[in-house]
Amino acid sequence: MTVTPRHVNSAIEAYFADPTTSAYPIASGYILDLAAAVEECPWVNEVVSDAEADPDLKRGAVRTAILLARAQKA
């Protein structure tokens, strides 16, 4: 499985469109639970929940959570 920057950027957009997304198709035949990825990283969860946090910081934090998460076969 190859996850490209485009896949990651699309997943970030999907998370911000719906933070409860639990089965996002990250790459061919694989899904990622975006909501769980963010919840499993306490710092990321804190940053995303902070109304005063810079939007770029939030995006970077979600990117980190996505890169640390494990995709599952669909």
Side-chain angles (χ1 to χ4, degrees), residues 8 11-12 17-18 21 25 29 36 41 47-49 51-52 56-59 62 64 67 69 72 74:
V8 175
I12 293 167
D18 181 5
T21 302
C41 296
V47 168
V48 170
S49 300
E52 295 181 21
D56 288 337
L57 177 60
K58 288 183 179 188
R59 291 181 64 77
V62 171
T64 298
L67 293 173
Q72 298 176 0

Side-chain angles (χ1 to χ4, degrees), residues 35-50:
V38 170
E39 284 186 30
E40 289 174 5
C41 296
W43 175 79
V44 174
N45 196 25
E46 183 179 326
V47 168
V48 170
S49 300
D50 184 352

Side-chain angles (χ1 to χ4, degrees), residues 13-21 34:
E13 294 302 322
Y15 175 80
F16 284 110
D18 181 5
T20 65
T21 302
L34 299 178

Side-chain angles (χ1 to χ4, degrees), residues 3-19 21 24-27 31-35 37-38 59 62-63 65-67:
V3 177
T4 66
R6 185 181 62 137
H7 291 125
V8 175
N9 289 335
S10 294
I12 293 167
E13 294 302 322
Y15 175 80
F16 284 110
D18 181 5
T21 302
Y24 181 78
I26 190 75
I31 60 171
L32 188 61
D33 185 338
L34 299 178
V38 170
R59 291 181 64 77
V62 171
R63 177 181 304 280
I66 288 169
L67 293 173

